[in-house]
Amino acid sequence: MGKLIDKQRVVQHMNGRLLRNNVLKFLFFLATLFGLIVLVVLLYRILTQAIGWLNLDFLNNFPSRRPENAGIKAGLVGSLWLMVIVAPVSLILGVGTAIYLEEYAKKNRFTDFIQTNISNLAGVPSIVFGLLGLTIFVRELNLGRSILAAGLTMSLLVLPVIVVAAQEAIRAVPNQLREASYGMGATKWQTIYRIVLPASIPGILTGSILALSRAIGETAPLVVLGIPTFLAYLPRGILDTFTVMPMQIYNWTSRPQADFQNVAAAGIVVLLVVLIFMNSIAIFIRNKFQKRY
Protein backbone atom coordinates (compact mmCIF):
# COMPACT_ATOMS: atom_id res chain seq x y z
CA MET A 1 0.00 0.00 0.00
CA GLY A 2 2.87 2.30 0.82
CA LYS A 3 4.44 1.75 -2.55
CA LEU A 4 1.10 2.44 -4.27
CA ILE A 5 0.79 5.77 -2.42
CA ASP A 6 4.34 6.70 -3.44
CA LYS A 7 3.57 5.95 -7.07
CA GLN A 8 0.45 8.10 -6.96
CA ARG A 9 2.43 11.00 -5.49
CA VAL A 10 5.10 10.59 -8.14
CA VAL A 11 2.45 10.59 -10.88
CA GLN A 12 0.80 13.68 -9.41
CA HIS A 13 4.09 15.54 -9.16
CA MET A 14 5.05 14.53 -12.69
CA ASN A 15 1.69 15.62 -14.09
CA GLY A 16 2.03 18.97 -12.36
CA ARG A 17 5.55 19.47 -13.68
CA LEU A 18 4.57 18.47 -17.21
CA LEU A 19 1.62 20.86 -17.09
CA ARG A 20 3.82 23.75 -15.97
CA ASN A 21 6.36 22.84 -18.62
CA ASN A 22 3.72 22.85 -21.38
CA VAL A 23 2.24 26.14 -20.18
CA LEU A 24 5.64 27.86 -20.11
CA LYS A 25 6.55 26.35 -23.47
CA PHE A 26 3.34 27.77 -24.95
CA LEU A 27 4.00 31.20 -23.44
CA PHE A 28 7.54 31.26 -24.82
CA PHE A 29 6.19 30.24 -28.22
CA LEU A 30 3.64 33.06 -28.12
CA ALA A 31 6.37 35.58 -27.20
CA THR A 32 8.52 34.41 -30.12
CA LEU A 33 5.55 34.40 -32.49
CA PHE A 34 4.56 37.93 -31.43
CA GLY A 35 8.06 39.25 -32.15
CA LEU A 36 8.14 37.55 -35.54
CA ILE A 37 4.70 38.90 -36.50
CA VAL A 38 5.70 42.46 -35.57
CA LEU A 39 8.93 42.09 -37.58
CA VAL A 40 7.10 40.71 -40.63
CA VAL A 41 4.48 43.48 -40.51
CA LEU A 42 7.18 46.14 -40.18
CA LEU A 43 9.21 44.74 -43.09
CA TYR A 44 6.10 44.36 -45.23
CA ARG A 45 5.06 47.97 -44.62
CA ILE A 46 8.55 49.32 -45.36
CA LEU A 47 9.01 47.22 -48.50
CA THR A 48 5.58 48.07 -49.93
CA GLN A 49 6.26 51.77 -49.41
CA ALA A 50 9.78 51.56 -50.83
CA ILE A 51 8.82 49.71 -54.03
CA GLY A 52 8.91 52.14 -56.93
CA TRP A 53 11.37 54.47 -55.21
CA LEU A 54 14.39 52.18 -54.96
CA ASN A 55 16.51 52.60 -58.10
CA LEU A 56 19.93 53.78 -59.20
CA ASP A 57 18.76 57.38 -59.29
CA PHE A 58 17.84 57.15 -55.61
CA LEU A 59 21.37 55.97 -54.80
CA ASN A 60 23.07 58.56 -57.03
CA ASN A 61 20.96 61.65 -56.27
CA PHE A 62 21.46 64.17 -53.51
CA PRO A 63 18.60 65.23 -51.20
CA SER A 64 15.99 67.41 -52.84
CA ARG A 65 12.90 69.37 -51.89
CA ARG A 66 11.02 67.31 -54.44
CA PRO A 67 10.40 63.67 -53.47
CA GLU A 68 10.82 62.36 -57.01
CA ASN A 69 14.34 63.84 -57.18
CA ALA A 70 15.46 63.00 -53.65
CA GLY A 71 18.35 60.57 -53.14
CA ILE A 72 20.47 59.14 -50.37
CA LYS A 73 23.93 59.57 -51.92
CA ALA A 74 25.15 62.14 -49.38
CA GLY A 75 23.94 60.08 -46.42
CA LEU A 76 25.36 56.81 -47.75
CA VAL A 77 28.81 58.26 -48.42
CA GLY A 78 28.74 60.14 -45.11
CA SER A 79 27.95 56.93 -43.20
CA LEU A 80 30.91 55.22 -44.85
CA TRP A 81 33.16 58.15 -43.92
CA LEU A 82 31.91 57.90 -40.34
CA MET A 83 32.85 54.20 -40.18
CA VAL A 84 36.34 55.08 -41.43
CA ILE A 85 36.85 56.90 -38.10
CA VAL A 86 34.72 54.80 -35.75
CA ALA A 87 35.99 51.34 -36.74
CA PRO A 88 39.76 51.77 -36.20
CA VAL A 89 39.46 54.06 -33.16
CA SER A 90 36.94 51.90 -31.29
CA LEU A 91 38.57 48.58 -32.21
CA ILE A 92 42.11 49.61 -31.26
CA LEU A 93 41.09 51.24 -27.99
CA GLY A 94 38.47 48.62 -27.12
CA VAL A 95 40.55 45.52 -27.79
CA GLY A 96 43.63 47.12 -26.24
CA THR A 97 41.70 47.92 -23.06
CA ALA A 98 40.33 44.38 -22.90
CA ILE A 99 43.81 42.88 -23.32
CA TYR A 100 45.22 45.03 -20.54
CA LEU A 101 42.38 44.29 -18.10
CA GLU A 102 42.41 40.53 -18.75
CA GLU A 103 46.09 39.78 -19.30
CA TYR A 104 48.18 42.47 -17.57
CA ALA A 105 46.18 44.27 -14.88
CA LYS A 106 46.22 42.87 -11.35
CA LYS A 107 42.87 41.97 -9.85
CA ASN A 108 42.23 44.55 -7.14
CA ARG A 109 39.68 47.16 -6.16
CA PHE A 110 40.92 49.65 -8.73
CA THR A 111 40.49 47.27 -11.66
CA ASP A 112 37.10 46.20 -10.26
CA PHE A 113 36.14 49.89 -10.18
CA ILE A 114 37.21 50.32 -13.81
CA GLN A 115 35.35 47.17 -14.85
CA THR A 116 32.17 48.30 -13.10
CA ASN A 117 32.27 51.72 -14.78
CA ILE A 118 32.85 50.19 -18.23
CA SER A 119 29.83 47.95 -17.76
CA ASN A 120 27.75 50.93 -16.59
CA LEU A 121 28.85 53.04 -19.58
CA ALA A 122 27.47 50.37 -21.93
CA GLY A 123 23.98 51.23 -20.67
CA VAL A 124 24.25 55.04 -20.73
CA PRO A 125 21.76 56.70 -23.16
CA SER A 126 23.36 57.68 -26.45
CA ILE A 127 22.33 61.32 -26.13
CA VAL A 128 24.69 61.66 -23.13
CA PHE A 129 27.61 60.75 -25.39
CA GLY A 130 26.33 63.36 -27.83
CA LEU A 131 26.54 66.03 -25.13
CA LEU A 132 30.04 64.85 -24.24
CA GLY A 133 31.14 65.00 -27.88
CA LEU A 134 29.60 68.47 -28.30
CA THR A 135 31.51 69.78 -25.28
CA ILE A 136 34.91 68.18 -25.94
CA PHE A 137 35.29 67.62 -29.67
CA VAL A 138 33.08 70.28 -31.23
CA ARG A 139 33.73 73.18 -28.84
CA GLU A 140 36.90 72.55 -26.81
CA LEU A 141 38.97 70.95 -29.60
CA ASN A 142 37.27 73.19 -32.17
CA LEU A 143 36.67 70.33 -34.62
CA GLY A 144 33.27 71.70 -35.58
CA ARG A 145 30.52 69.51 -37.01
CA SER A 146 33.03 67.42 -38.90
CA ILE A 147 33.40 63.72 -39.63
CA LEU A 148 36.27 63.53 -37.13
CA ALA A 149 34.21 65.03 -34.27
CA ALA A 150 31.23 62.77 -34.99
CA GLY A 151 33.46 59.71 -35.43
CA LEU A 152 35.20 60.23 -32.09
CA THR A 153 31.83 60.75 -30.40
CA MET A 154 30.38 57.57 -31.86
CA SER A 155 33.59 55.72 -30.91
CA LEU A 156 32.98 56.65 -27.29
CA LEU A 157 29.42 55.36 -27.65
CA VAL A 158 30.38 51.87 -28.83
CA LEU A 159 33.68 51.57 -26.94
CA PRO A 160 32.23 50.04 -23.73
CA VAL A 161 30.34 47.40 -25.75
CA ILE A 162 33.50 46.39 -27.61
CA VAL A 163 35.54 46.26 -24.40
CA VAL A 164 33.02 43.96 -22.69
CA ALA A 165 32.69 41.71 -25.76
CA ALA A 166 36.47 41.48 -26.18
CA GLN A 167 36.94 40.68 -22.49
CA GLU A 168 34.43 37.84 -22.67
CA ALA A 169 36.13 36.45 -25.78
CA ILE A 170 39.62 36.62 -24.22
CA ARG A 171 38.33 35.13 -20.98
CA ALA A 172 36.90 32.17 -22.91
CA VAL A 173 40.34 31.10 -24.21
CA PRO A 174 41.43 28.01 -22.22
CA ASN A 175 44.33 28.58 -19.82
CA GLN A 176 45.93 25.39 -21.12
CA LEU A 177 46.78 27.19 -24.35
CA ARG A 178 48.55 29.96 -22.45
CA GLU A 179 50.44 27.50 -20.24
CA ALA A 180 51.54 25.48 -23.28
CA SER A 181 52.83 28.67 -24.92
CA TYR A 182 54.75 29.67 -21.79
CA GLY A 183 56.13 26.15 -21.60
CA MET A 184 57.58 26.56 -25.10
CA GLY A 185 59.43 29.68 -23.95
CA ALA A 186 57.08 32.33 -25.39
CA THR A 187 56.85 35.72 -23.75
CA LYS A 188 53.64 37.30 -22.47
CA TRP A 189 53.12 39.34 -25.62
CA GLN A 190 53.97 36.46 -27.93
CA THR A 191 51.38 34.33 -26.16
CA ILE A 192 48.76 37.06 -26.49
CA TYR A 193 49.58 37.82 -30.13
CA ARG A 194 49.91 34.25 -31.40
CA ILE A 195 47.60 32.27 -29.11
CA VAL A 196 45.04 34.39 -27.26
CA LEU A 197 44.05 36.88 -29.96
CA PRO A 198 43.61 34.35 -32.82
CA ALA A 199 41.50 32.12 -30.57
CA SER A 200 39.34 35.05 -29.40
CA ILE A 201 38.88 36.78 -32.76
CA PRO A 202 35.43 35.22 -33.48
CA GLY A 203 33.96 36.61 -30.26
CA ILE A 204 35.72 39.96 -30.64
CA LEU A 205 34.48 40.39 -34.20
CA THR A 206 30.93 39.47 -33.30
CA GLY A 207 30.70 42.08 -30.56
CA SER A 208 32.57 44.68 -32.58
CA ILE A 209 30.40 44.38 -35.68
CA LEU A 210 27.24 44.59 -33.60
CA ALA A 211 28.61 47.70 -31.92
CA LEU A 212 29.51 49.28 -35.28
CA SER A 213 26.04 48.43 -36.55
CA ARG A 214 24.65 50.39 -33.63
CA ALA A 215 26.92 53.31 -34.46
CA ILE A 216 25.86 53.47 -38.10
CA GLY A 217 22.19 53.50 -37.11
CA GLU A 218 22.34 56.03 -34.25
CA THR A 219 20.76 59.45 -34.62
CA ALA A 220 20.51 61.11 -31.18
CA PRO A 221 24.24 61.91 -30.68
CA LEU A 222 24.47 63.35 -34.19
CA VAL A 223 21.42 65.54 -33.61
CA VAL A 224 23.11 66.95 -30.48
CA LEU A 225 26.30 67.60 -32.46
CA GLY A 226 24.29 69.56 -35.01
CA ILE A 227 24.97 67.32 -38.02
CA PRO A 228 22.90 68.69 -40.93
CA THR A 229 19.94 66.71 -42.31
CA PHE A 230 20.16 68.28 -45.78
CA LEU A 231 23.45 68.27 -47.64
CA ALA A 232 23.91 68.50 -51.42
CA TYR A 233 27.62 67.72 -51.67
CA LEU A 234 30.08 65.01 -50.63
CA PRO A 235 32.79 65.42 -47.98
CA ARG A 236 36.40 65.33 -49.18
CA GLY A 237 38.12 64.79 -45.86
CA ILE A 238 37.57 64.00 -42.21
CA LEU A 239 37.30 67.70 -41.30
CA ASP A 240 34.42 68.37 -43.70
CA THR A 241 30.75 68.67 -42.84
CA PHE A 242 28.68 65.61 -43.65
CA THR A 243 25.37 63.85 -43.08
CA VAL A 244 24.41 60.21 -42.53
CA MET A 245 21.56 57.94 -43.57
CA PRO A 246 19.64 58.04 -40.25
CA MET A 247 19.68 61.85 -40.32
CA GLN A 248 18.32 61.95 -43.86
CA ILE A 249 15.62 59.41 -43.02
CA TYR A 250 14.69 61.47 -39.97
CA ASN A 251 14.43 64.56 -42.18
CA TRP A 252 12.23 62.81 -44.73
CA THR A 253 9.83 61.45 -42.12
CA SER A 254 9.31 64.98 -40.77
CA ARG A 255 8.27 66.35 -44.18
CA PRO A 256 4.52 66.97 -44.68
CA GLN A 257 4.39 65.53 -48.22
CA ALA A 258 3.12 61.95 -48.30
CA ASP A 259 5.65 60.92 -50.95
CA PHE A 260 8.51 61.67 -48.57
CA GLN A 261 7.26 58.82 -46.37
CA ASN A 262 7.93 56.48 -49.30
CA VAL A 263 11.35 58.05 -49.80
CA ALA A 264 12.09 57.48 -46.10
CA ALA A 265 11.04 53.82 -46.48
CA ALA A 266 13.47 53.46 -49.39
CA GLY A 267 16.21 54.96 -47.23
CA ILE A 268 15.40 52.50 -44.43
CA VAL A 269 15.79 49.62 -46.89
CA VAL A 270 19.21 50.89 -47.95
CA LEU A 271 20.25 51.21 -44.30
CA LEU A 272 19.04 47.66 -43.59
CA VAL A 273 21.01 46.33 -46.56
CA VAL A 274 24.17 48.01 -45.25
CA LEU A 275 23.62 46.54 -41.78
CA ILE A 276 22.98 43.05 -43.18
CA PHE A 277 26.13 43.34 -45.29
CA MET A 278 28.20 44.30 -42.24
CA ASN A 279 26.81 41.41 -40.21
CA SER A 280 27.44 39.00 -43.10
CA ILE A 281 31.09 40.01 -43.18
CA ALA A 282 31.32 39.41 -39.43
CA ILE A 283 29.76 35.95 -39.77
CA PHE A 284 32.10 35.04 -42.63
CA ILE A 285 35.24 36.10 -40.76
CA ARG A 286 34.05 34.47 -37.55
CA ASN A 287 33.37 31.14 -39.26
CA LYS A 288 36.74 31.28 -41.02
CA PHE A 289 38.66 31.71 -37.79
CA GLN A 290 36.52 29.16 -35.95
CA LYS A 291 37.56 26.51 -38.47
CA ARG A 292 41.20 27.45 -38.07
CA TYR A 293 41.32 27.57 -34.30
Side-chain angles (χ1 to χ4, degrees):
M1 188 67 180
K3 293 183 178 180
L4 181 61
I5 294 175
D6 290 340
K7 289 182 179 180
Q8 289 178 349
R9 289 181 178 178
V10 170
V11 170
Q12 289 176 356
H13 283 298
M14 288 300 299
N15 290 336
R17 292 178 180 179
L18 291 174
L19 178 61
R20 287 194 295 270
N21 178 73
N22 292 332
V23 170
L24 291 174
K25 179 181 178 181
F26 181 71
L27 292 176
F28 295 151
F29 173 75
L30 287 181
T32 305
L33 184 63
F34 176 77
L36 290 176
I37 291 176
V38 172
L39 179 61
V40 169
V41 171
L42 179 62
L43 291 177
Y44 174 78
R45 178 176 176 81
I46 292 174
L47 291 175
T48 52
Q49 286 185 305
I51 291 177
W53 297 87
L54 273 174
N55 48 47
L56 291 178
D57 290 336
F58 179 75
L59 297 177
N60 292 324
N61 289 349
F62 289 102
S64 174
R65 300 184 184 276
R66 298 179 180 180
E68 60 273 11
N69 297 329
I72 201 169
K73 182 177 182 180
L76 180 60
V77 175
S79 296
L80 296 178
W81 268 105
L82 185 65
M83 289 298 102
V84 169
I85 301 297
V86 176
V89 172
S90 58
L91 284 175
I92 293 173
L93 294 179
V95 177
T97 302
I99 291 174
Y100 174 76
L101 291 176
E102 291 298 322
E103 299 293 334
Y104 289 102
K106 296 181 180 180
K107 304 302 179 182
N108 50 39
R109 292 183 179 180
F110 180 69
T111 55
D112 290 341
F113 175 77
I114 294 177
Q115 185 64 55
T116 301
N117 281 275
I118 291 176
S119 301
N120 290 336
L121 284 175
V124 172
S126 59
I127 195 170
V128 176
F129 289 96
L131 294 172
L132 179 64
L134 177 66
T135 303
I136 297 178
F137 303 124
V138 176
R139 294 179 178 174
E140 293 297 329
L141 299 181
N142 199 26
L143 295 177
R145 296 171 176 84
S146 62
I147 297 173
L148 182 58
L152 293 176
T153 301
M154 301 305 285
S155 297
L156 294 178
L157 173 65
V158 301
L159 189 59
V161 179
I162 295 178
V163 172
V164 173
Q167 280 186 279
E168 293 295 334
I170 294 173
R171 201 175 296 146
V173 178
N175 285 329
Q176 292 85 341
L177 296 179
R178 297 180 176 88
E179 293 171 359
S181 178
Y182 295 145
M184 296 296 292
T187 63
K188 184 79 169 179
W189 171 243
Q190 288 175 330
T191 300
I192 294 173
Y193 179 72
R194 297 182 178 179
I195 303 298
V196 176
L197 282 181
S200 59
I201 276 180
I204 293 175
L205 284 179
T206 301
S208 299
I209 295 297
L210 291 176
L212 294 178
S213 298
R214 179 190 178 188
I216 202 173
E218 277 287 351
T219 308
L222 301 179
V223 172
V224 176
L225 294 180
I227 303 302
T229 59
F230 187 94
L231 206 64
Y233 59 88
L234 297 179
R236 297 182 178 180
I238 60 175
L239 296 179
D240 290 345
T241 305
F242 76 113
T243 189
V244 292
M245 288 186 286
M247 295 293 292
Q248 279 201 279
I249 294 171
Y250 169 76
N251 180 39
W252 287 331
T253 55
S254 63
R255 294 294 185 91
Q257 297 95 322
D259 286 341
F260 271 114
Q261 307 304 316
N262 300 329
V263 177
I268 292 173
V269 172
V270 175
L271 180 59
L272 287 176
V273 170
V274 173
L275 293 176
I276 292 173
F277 178 72
M278 292 176 61
N279 291 332
S280 300
I281 294 176
I283 293 173
F284 172 77
I285 298 176
R286 182 182 62 191
N287 292 338
K288 180 179 178 181
F289 278 94
Q290 279 180 340
K291 292 178 182 179
R292 181 177 301 178
Y293 301 101

